[in-house]
């Protein structure tokens, strides 16, 4: 949650949306953060801050998922898991694990690129959460990673490797350097972040699962161990469940801070900022004596103007802003660039028109973690019967409201949903006429991610000033994907057939955040 520059206190979360598995670094006076993006494209979001509280989205490091054919369709829980961001030898580096393929790496001279194509550092099933370390004291390079039991049959352990200083390959077969099964009470050890500090090798890694776990610290005088461990952040009597993996960063004045996520159901994994100090025995102390803080004195950094990743969009030239991601690798022809404002999406013909979850051409952005109102104008252009488009709240279950052209050529306002286990969507409300093929669509999202849909077909102008908004259907409770929070989506589609099915134009996408925070 952004803070005014004259406010001495910030409030958590500082990123109140699904920025899963964050990692953070400082380069000069600038802080940079990346996060998991799973199967969405572009991937590896890149955020920038000067004060660790106010963040903006400045780009992405991964423009297509590889191999491209495997990500031609949605794979919501695959792709980019838990990246690590580092700066070494004048370049930015990001390592991540694809649980089905192995450990990848990209790098760039500047945070905005150009980024290299993904390079496979180590192939293998279940290799996740990698983190490199270039040891300035010895010139050696190392890498540590965790394991996904769903792919490898192994979990709760961290494996270490020597790495080529160029970051292109590993120099040994690896060795288990922390075995969580040998630590009483520890399970699901993952998400390691590797550091060198005060003569020690440090691994900051969570355990216990994302809903109820804790943050651990491990230290050893030698990279391959043995390591001793300590719990350094846990829920205690706060309402911050988890708290889970993140990154440690030091400011120019020498302050230490820790950014981590909290799992919040349909809202995904929101990001908290915790103060960090060192106790007399040299162990990190995170938060308030190991408990997450809801708010704290701001970092000792120059005050910045309030900022947050963009949400609103007028789609100038038909181009979506950085906040939007496709649900799979995009193809030519899904969106049309033009000279005016507005997103012009092709009503892509598909045999999966009955299920938005199966479509690769849904344009999405993160669901805000606070109560909000989402609105967009939609015009369904000339097209074939069955062509449709709308605004969706998308997860394991979904609901959408929009326009559909009937067999008689008339455009109707439709509202549909699909339950988690359902293979097909069905009507959430009876279809209604939409004169002029236009409507302004609205979703009011309240506490618990409960969504109320409404629409205004107005006088055909689509400006919301006609008849006023009318409610549609029952309240819909948004649901997450397996590892991902619910998404807001814009979609245009048509059933299978011959020829062009027309286009849909979206304009004036807006999100208004309410002051009262969700579930707080």
């Amino acid at each position: 949650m952004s803070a005014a520059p004259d406010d001495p206190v910030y409030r958590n979360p500082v990123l109140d949306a699904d920025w899963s598995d964050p990692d953070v670094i400082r380069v000069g006076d600038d802080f940079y953060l990346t996060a998991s993006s799973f199967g969405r494209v572009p991937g590896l979001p890149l955020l920038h801050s000067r004060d660790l509280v106010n963040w903006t989205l400045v780009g992405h490091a991964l423009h297509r998922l590889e191999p491209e054919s495997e990500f031609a369709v949605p794979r919501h829980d695959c792709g980019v898991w838990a990246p690590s961001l580092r700066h070494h030898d004048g370049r930015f580096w990001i390592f991540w694990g694809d649980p089905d393929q192995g450990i990848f790496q990209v790098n760039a001279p500047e945070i905005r690129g150009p980024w290299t194509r993904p390079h496979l550092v180590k192939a293998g099933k279940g290799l996740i959460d990698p983190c490199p370390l270039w040891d300035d004291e010895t010139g050696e390079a190392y890498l540590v990673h965790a394991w996904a039991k769903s792919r490898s049959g192994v979990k709760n352990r961290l494996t270490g490797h020597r790495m080529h200083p160029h970051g292109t390959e590993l120099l040994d077969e690896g060795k288990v350097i922390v075995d969580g099964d040998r630590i009483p009470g520890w399970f699901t050890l993952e998400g390691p972040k590797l550091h060198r500090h005060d003569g020690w090798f440090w691994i900051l890694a969570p355990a216990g699962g994302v809903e109820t776990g804790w943050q651990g610290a491990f230290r050893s005088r030698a990279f391959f161990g043995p390591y001793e461990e300590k719990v350094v952040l846990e829920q205690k009597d706060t309402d911050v469940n988890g708290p889970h993996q993140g990154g440690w960063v030091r400011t120019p004045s020498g302050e230490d801070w820790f950014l981590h996520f909290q799992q919040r159901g349909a809202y995904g994994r929101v990001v908290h900022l915790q103060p960090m100090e060192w106790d007399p025995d040299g162990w990190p102390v995170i938060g308030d004596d190991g408990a997450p803080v809801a708010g704290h004195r701001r970092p000792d950094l120059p005050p910045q103007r309030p900022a947050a990743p963009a949400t609103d969009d007028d789609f100038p030239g038909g181009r979506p802003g950085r906040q939007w991601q496709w649900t799979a690798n995009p193809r030519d022809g899904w969106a049309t660039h033009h000279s005016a404002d507005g997103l012009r999406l092709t009503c892509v013909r598909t045999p999966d028109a009955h299920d938005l979850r199966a479509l690769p051409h849904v344009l999405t952005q993160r669901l805000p973690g606070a109560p909000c109102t989402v609105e967009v104008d939609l015009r369904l252009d000339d097209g074939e019967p069955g062509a449709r488009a709308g605004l969706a709240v998308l997860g394991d279950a979904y609901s959408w409201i929009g326009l559909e052209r009937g067999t008689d050529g008339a455009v109707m306002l439709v509202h549909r949903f699909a339950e988690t286990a359902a293979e097909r969507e069905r009507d959430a409300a009876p279809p209604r006429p939409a004169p002029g093929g236009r409507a302004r669509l609205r979703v009011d999202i309240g506490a618990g991610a409960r969504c109320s849909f409404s629409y205004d077909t107005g006088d055909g102008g689509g400006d919301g000033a006609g008849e006023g908004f009318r409610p549609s259907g029952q309240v819909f409770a948004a649901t997450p994907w397996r590892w991902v929070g619910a998404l807001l989506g814009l979609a245009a589609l048509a059933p299978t057939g011959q020829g062009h099915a027309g286009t849909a134009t979206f304009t004036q996408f807006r999100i208004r955040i309410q002051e009262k925070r969700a579930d707080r």
Side-chain angles (χ1 to χ4, degrees), residues 87-93 108-110:
H87 190 261
H88 167 71
D89 197 25
R91 298 185 71 84
F92 291 88
W93 302 77
E110 304 290 342

Side-chain angles (χ1 to χ4, degrees), residues 105-122:
Q105 167 258 106
V106 292
N107 60 86
E110 304 290 342
I111 195 69
R112 290 173 175 81
W115 288 86
T116 61
R117 284 189 62 175
H119 172 79
L120 185 61
V121 178
K122 181 183 180 181

